[in-house]
Each structure stands twice: as C-alpha cells, then as structure tokens.
Amino acid sequence: MKLLRYGATGQEKPGLLDSDGHIRDLSGVIPDLGPAQISPEGLETLAAVDPRDLPTVEGAPRLGPPLAGIGQIHAIGLNYRNHAREAGMAIPDEPILFTKATSCLSGPDDDIVIPRGAQTVDWEVELGVVIGTAAYQVEEAQALEHVAGYLTANDVSERDHQIRRGGQWVKGKSAPGFGPLGPWLVTKDEVPDPQNLAVKLAVNGEIRQDGHTSDMIFSVARIVAHVSAFLRLMPGDVILTGTPAGVGMGMKPPVYLQPGDQVTVEVEGLGVQRQQVRNQ
C-alpha cells in the first residue's frame, strides 16, 4: 500500500494511492494515519479495504507528511561509501547517530525555507524508514520485522549551523521545512529489499545525487538494530538512513541552495518530491 495524508497544513486527512495513481479518501475508515494505523493490526485492517469502495479525491491537493504523530526523527550520518570519500572522512566503525526536531517536518512538495541569515543550506536525498512496532535491543536478523514501511526524505541541512556552531548536528538539521517526507509511506511488503533502491536528487533539473542503497555502509537492518541498542524505537518513529555523494558541501567550490531553486528528490518506488526554495 501507498499511504498518504492530504490537505492544508494541520488539516490533513488520511488517504491511499490506488493502482491507477488516484488518491482515495480513508477518513471514513480511520481518523488519521498515525502510529496505531501502521501497527501490524492496523495495516492488516487497511489492507482489507478495497480502494474502489473509497471516495476519489479530486484535483491535486497538497500532500502533508504521510504520517501523523511522529515521535522521533533519528538520522544516520556518513552512511554511503562515496559520500564518505567525498567528505574526505574515514569510513565509520559504527553508525553515526543524530536527531532532527519533529518541528522541521513538512510535506513532500512544501517550500524549503532558508532561515534568516543562513548561507549554506544543502540537500540530502535519503531513504526513510518508518517503525511499526516498538524495538529495543533487537538483533539485526529480526530488525526489519519492526519496520512498517519506507518513504522518500530530504534531510535539508544548514552546514554552518551543523558544523561550525558547536554542539549537536541537530542545530543545522531542524529549521522549519527541513524535513520533507513522502509523498507516501510505502508498506514494506512492496519493498522486498531496501538495499536495492536508486536514490536521486536534482537541483534546477541538474542531477546532483545519483546513488543506490547498495552503497550503504550500514544496512537498514543493521541501523535499526544499532539504534535500538541504545533507545527504544517506538511506532511512528522515522529513521533517515544517510545520503550518497553529491551534496552541495562536497562540490568544489561548494554550492548551496538559493531562493528560486527547484529541488527534485526521489527514492525508487517510493515517489518523488518537488520543492521550491525561498527565503524566510
């Protein structure tokens, strides 16, 4: 299933994408699409619904983040071999873990907003993992059993705030609009191998990132197991799994997003994001 939320910011309704690419309204079946609805029981209930019995949503409504009630956004840094080489950094021995504030969340096509005074706003296409059942100290072999599905993500980053302002990376990762998710949450039954997905990002039509999840240093299963070794992952938590080479910081000279730029973000099979960049 491809599950989504549509409507004005703060007024989103649950929906799904049918096999013909039409949005169907799920609000008569569930109140919203949140942690309870992506539990194994919740997904089983939704899978039993015939999309043809649901109202068709006309037009092209705004899409919001495909999941409500996200408790935590965990992210993995430096998780692609070619990105590590691009950054001139050693391959890490274990996943580098940081967080993004949930207040950064936005819809897949919402604007990327450059914070006041920021000069180094960068792009990062990433595979997002959505947790469906609580996971604490799970083994890698069982880790994917706790995953509800996957989504396209752009880990927008202000590099000066991230690197030069001291403290945690969260400072450069969490401005409003820095967490576009979606367009939809694709349940894991439609993603047989998360290590076999192309990931791409273009700025103004020019491909900047063209990677593949097979280049990850740490697999999705390893990441879920690793994070769960230190904290309890909860239903609705999102993990961003790192970005391939091609970020603006890695260009020579570095190139960063400017007002008016158009960003296109895609993970194979998980949908495309299209964002316009503007000042705050």
Side-chain angles (χ1 to χ4, degrees):
M1 291 180 290
K2 294 181 173 64
L3 302 170
L4 55 88
R5 298 170 67 247
Y6 69 95
T9 302
Q11 302 176 38
E12 293 91 347
K13 296 181 179 180
L16 61 77
L17 196 74
D18 68 19
S19 59
D20 295 320
H22 299 132
I23 296 175
R24 300 285 185 148
D25 181 16
L26 274 171
S27 61
V29 179
I30 54 175
D32 205 344
L33 188 63
Q37 287 74 39
I38 61 167
S39 67
E41 299 76 16
L43 291 178
E44 184 178 353
T45 297
L46 292 177
V49 175
D50 188 338
R52 294 171 297 183
D53 295 334
L54 300 172
T56 300
V57 178
E58 301 297 335
R62 170 192 174 269
L63 297 180
L67 190 66
I70 295 172
Q72 297 285 338
I73 307 171
H74 305 287
I76 305 299
L78 214 68
N79 193 36
Y80 281 72
R81 293 173 180 84
N82 60 9
H83 181 46
R85 290 192 295 268
E86 168 186 65
M89 300 178 70
I91 300 295
D93 294 327
E94 59 181 57
I96 297 171
L97 178 64
F98 64 94
T99 62
K100 290 172 75 82
T102 56
S103 56
C104 79
L105 287 169
S106 59
D109 302 331
D110 291 346
D111 292 347
I112 293 173
V113 181
I114 297 176
R116 185 174 59 249
Q119 301 291 325
T120 58
V121 175
D122 207 344
W123 56 83
E124 293 190 10
V125 58
E126 307 212 7
L127 168 66
V129 179
V130 179
I131 300 299
T133 60
Y136 182 56
Q137 297 182 343
V138 300
E139 298 297 327
E140 186 174 339
Q142 286 76 47
L144 296 186
E145 297 174 9
H146 297 270
V147 172
Y150 303 92
L151 44 73
T152 299
N154 186 359
D155 178 19
V156 183
S157 308
E158 211 298 334
R159 299 302 189 189
D160 183 69
H161 296 174
Q162 175 190 353
I163 298 168
R164 301 181 183 89
R165 298 296 295 273
Q168 301 292 317
W169 285 5
V170 64
K171 293 166 68 173
K173 299 282 190 172
S174 299
F178 274 26
L181 299 182
W184 31 77
L185 188 167
V186 181
T187 51
K188 66 179 178 182
D189 58 293
E190 295 193 13
V191 186
D193 184 2
Q195 305 309 140
N196 189 31
L197 302 173
V199 290
K200 295 184 179 183
L201 184 144
V203 180
N204 300 326
E206 179 181 343
I207 297 293
R208 298 289 176 84
Q209 293 183 277
D210 188 359
H212 199 273
T213 57
S214 61
D215 189 49
M216 282 184 182
I217 298 166
F218 306 106
S219 69
V220 171
R222 173 73 184 280
I223 290 168
V224 172
H226 178 81
V227 177
S228 82
F230 303 99
L231 55 89
R232 189 183 305 278
L233 289 166
M234 297 299 293
D237 284 354
V238 173
I239 303 175
L240 306 185
T241 57
T243 198
V247 298
M249 182 175 61
M251 299 178 71
K252 300 188 187 321
V255 175
Y256 296 110
L257 292 173
Q258 303 298 321
D261 284 347
Q262 302 280 340
V263 183
T264 305
V265 189
E266 181 177 9
V267 177
E268 182 180 359
L270 305 185
V272 180
Q273 302 180 351
R274 296 178 179 86
Q275 296 130 14
Q276 180 159 328
V277 181
R278 65 174 175 85
N279 282 325
Q280 181 177 319

